[in-house]
Amino acid sequence: AVCWAGLEKGNEANNFELIPQKILTSEMIKFAVQRCALIDKLDPKLITKELAELAVSTKPKTFKFVPLNLQSEKLVNIALNSNGTYNFYKLSVDHLKNPQLRNKKILRKILLKNIGYSLDTLSEEEFMMIFGGKEGSGFIDKLLEQGSIEQIVKNIPEKFIQKRHRKKIKEKDPVYGYPYLGDEDKTLDSTLKYIDIPRLEGGEIEEFE
């Protein structure tokens, strides 16, 4: 009764860890996972398929704590479609610990949902797999349609950005398209040199003319 009171009325995350293993029930575990996605506090042997799906739908980034044998494309889709309480913790490409899941289809699916999450964890081979060739160029077009200009400029190697991409980037967002400005953009260029670009990339800047 004391343990249940601690879970229901106290700090679930802290109190869950204090419950003695010998009286920890499956109901308590499910309650804690449903409320706070606490599979990172569990012995991996106690994590079931049901608990994994429950945790990932609540907080997508808990995917990285799911045992490899339970990680699947279905679980990736649950994470990407999550509307849970903690859904601002997005699934990232670096959460995919199972090498079999790091394929073009799944990596592209994650990037389409939010390109900004840990692209720096991709290997050179994975970058080529995702962005290389004509098909990869078309994928960048898809990303641009979603308005992910800032993240494309910051995270996709320049060698993958073609002329048509540069044009779209400059048209949609001249500020984040700054590296791609040409000589014809003299007026804009002279304005941008007074802008604190690093601070802008941090996401906060006052409006300017």
Side-chain angles (χ1 to χ4, degrees):
V2 171
C3 293
W4 270 113
L7 285 178
E8 293 175 331
K9 299 177 182 178
N11 184 309
E12 301 99 330
N14 292 337
N15 290 342
F16 182 72
E17 291 187 276
L18 297 175
I19 298 175
Q21 290 292 314
K22 62 182 180 181
I23 59 172
L24 183 65
T25 66
S26 57
E27 289 79 13
M28 288 176 179
I29 292 174
K30 185 175 180 180
F31 179 87
V33 172
Q34 196 163 20
R35 289 281 288 269
C36 290
L38 295 178
I39 57 170
D40 57 315
K41 309 292 185 184
L42 286 175
D43 182 331
K45 295 177 182 177
L46 295 176
I47 301 176
T48 63
K49 184 179 178 181
E50 179 189 15
L51 287 174
E53 292 181 359
L54 191 60
V56 169
S57 65
T58 302
K59 187 187 292 186
K61 77 170 186 177
T62 54
F63 189 100
K64 63 184 176 182
F65 300 115
V66 175
L68 292 187
N69 64 309
L70 294 179
Q71 292 186 6
S72 64
E73 185 175 354
K74 178 186 177 183
L75 205 57
V76 170
N77 290 330
I78 289 173
L80 293 177
N81 295 324
S82 169
N83 290 312
T85 307
Y86 300 92
N87 70 328
F88 51 89
Y89 290 109
K90 303 293 184 183
L91 177 67
S92 168
V93 292
D94 67 330
H95 294 158
L96 300 181
K97 304 304 182 184
N98 187 338
Q100 294 182 345
L101 287 179
R102 294 183 74 92
N103 59 60
K104 180 165 61 178
K105 177 183 176 183
I106 291 179
L107 290 173
R108 283 185 171 181
K109 193 178 289 188
I110 293 174
L111 295 179
L112 273 173
K113 191 74 174 182
N114 195 319
I115 189 176
Y117 279 81
S118 300
L119 268 174
D120 56 341
T121 63
L122 289 171
S123 66
E124 184 65 26
E125 183 180 336
E126 288 172 329
F127 265 116
M128 286 301 302
M129 176 176 67
I130 297 168
F131 299 113
K134 186 175 180 181
E135 187 184 350
S137 181
F139 180 64
I140 292 176
D141 286 329
K142 284 185 179 180
L143 294 173
L144 283 168
E145 289 170 6
Q146 293 192 349
S148 307
I149 306 299
E150 173 194 356
Q151 299 299 349
I152 286 176
V153 171
K154 287 168 62 178
N155 295 307
I156 298 181
E158 193 171 342
K159 66 181 178 181
F160 296 119
I161 306 296
Q162 297 186 5
K163 190 173 181 179
R164 74 172 189 275
H165 299 142
R166 296 174 191 275
K167 184 178 179 182
K168 287 182 181 179
I169 288 171
K170 288 192 291 185
E171 286 175 351
K172 292 188 73 173
D173 195 330
V175 174
Y176 284 115
Y178 182 75
Y180 303 123
L181 290 175
D183 292 336
E184 71 277 9
D185 300 300
K186 296 295 184 183
T187 304
L188 184 58
D189 189 45
S190 64
T191 302
L192 288 174
K193 70 182 180 182
Y194 298 108
I195 299 175
D196 183 349
I197 294 297
R199 188 160 62 92
L200 180 61
E201 290 180 347
E204 292 183 9
I205 192 169
E206 293 181 2
E207 290 185 7
F208 61 92
E209 291 185 0

